[in-house]
Amino acid sequence: GFFLRHWHLFGTYGFFLAGCSSTAVLGLFFFMMVFMDTTATIPTGTMCERWGWGNFCLYGLWVALPYCLFANWAWGGGWLAQLGLNFSLGSGFLDPGGAATVHVLGGLSALAVIWIAGPRRGKFPREGLSTAMPGHNAAYVLFGCLVCLVGFAAWNLAGAILFLRAPMAALPLTAINTLLSASA
């Protein structure tokens, strides 16, 4: 350990799901995969019209590494979760819903891309005034919303089963609440 404390900087159990045949572990993997996908998707609005599809796919692969490290630090008993034990800082870093982990990494990725890429081409001509950019394909927007709905349904149902240990009778209510929220 560093400073006579155990920090758990890197997770070593179940790397690439090696030796994991438990349905609970595989369900947790699916749940975390949706979190990682959301982390990669948050900055896409800032990246629009700044890079091509191939670069976005490379970015999606790249975001997996920092997400896995940070998720291990926050939820896998890593150094953030151990702050309370190692330095008597209350309960340490708590993020049961995942909002901090997902949004911090997504927001920092968006900030890095904006800093490197700069403004969209054609948005600010030489005069300095902003140029209106017309709307995009409505069918693509609707398809994206449908993909998000499926992701949130899986996210909420898996979260209710795995983390909240909700009874099976609560699953239909979780599914209905997710659908009504998306419809609103």
Side-chain angles (χ1 to χ4, degrees):
F2 187 60
F3 290 121
L4 302 175
R5 291 172 170 78
H6 295 285
W7 294 99
H8 304 285
L9 294 177
F10 303 102
T12 56
Y13 175 74
F15 193 68
F16 281 109
L17 295 176
C20 297
S21 60
S22 166
T23 55
V25 171
L26 295 174
L28 182 63
F29 171 77
F30 177 71
F31 187 69
M32 289 297 149
M33 184 182 69
V34 175
F35 270 125
M36 186 179 69
D37 178 52
T38 305
T39 303
T41 306
I42 287 172
T44 56
T46 56
M47 297 175 204
C48 286
E49 301 169 359
R50 289 187 170 91
W51 60 5
W53 175 250
N55 291 333
F56 176 74
C57 290
L58 288 174
Y59 161 76
L61 292 173
W62 175 84
V63 81
L65 178 65
Y67 172 80
C68 291
L69 283 173
F70 195 81
N72 179 55
W73 295 342
W75 300 317
W79 70 273
L80 286 174
Q82 298 294 326
L83 287 175
L85 181 64
N86 289 336
F87 292 110
S88 300
L89 293 174
S91 298
F93 181 79
L94 298 175
D95 186 21
T101 303
V102 170
H103 289 89
V104 164
L105 287 172
L108 289 175
S109 297
L111 181 65
V113 167
I114 289 298
W115 189 32
I116 293 169
R120 290 183 175 99
R121 279 183 241 140
K123 180 68 178 168
F124 297 101
R126 291 184 183 222
E127 296 82 31
L129 300 173
S130 103
T131 304
M133 300 184 95
H136 298 290
N137 191 332
Y140 285 161
V141 171
L142 185 60
F143 180 69
C145 290
L146 180 63
V147 169
C148 285
L149 172 63
V150 170
F152 274 114
W155 191 343
N156 289 343
L157 291 174
I161 293 168
L162 292 173
F163 294 120
L164 301 177
R165 296 194 183 9
M168 294 304 274
L171 294 182
L173 181 61
T174 303
I176 288 170
N177 284 338
T178 303
L179 289 172
L180 289 176
S181 300
S183 299

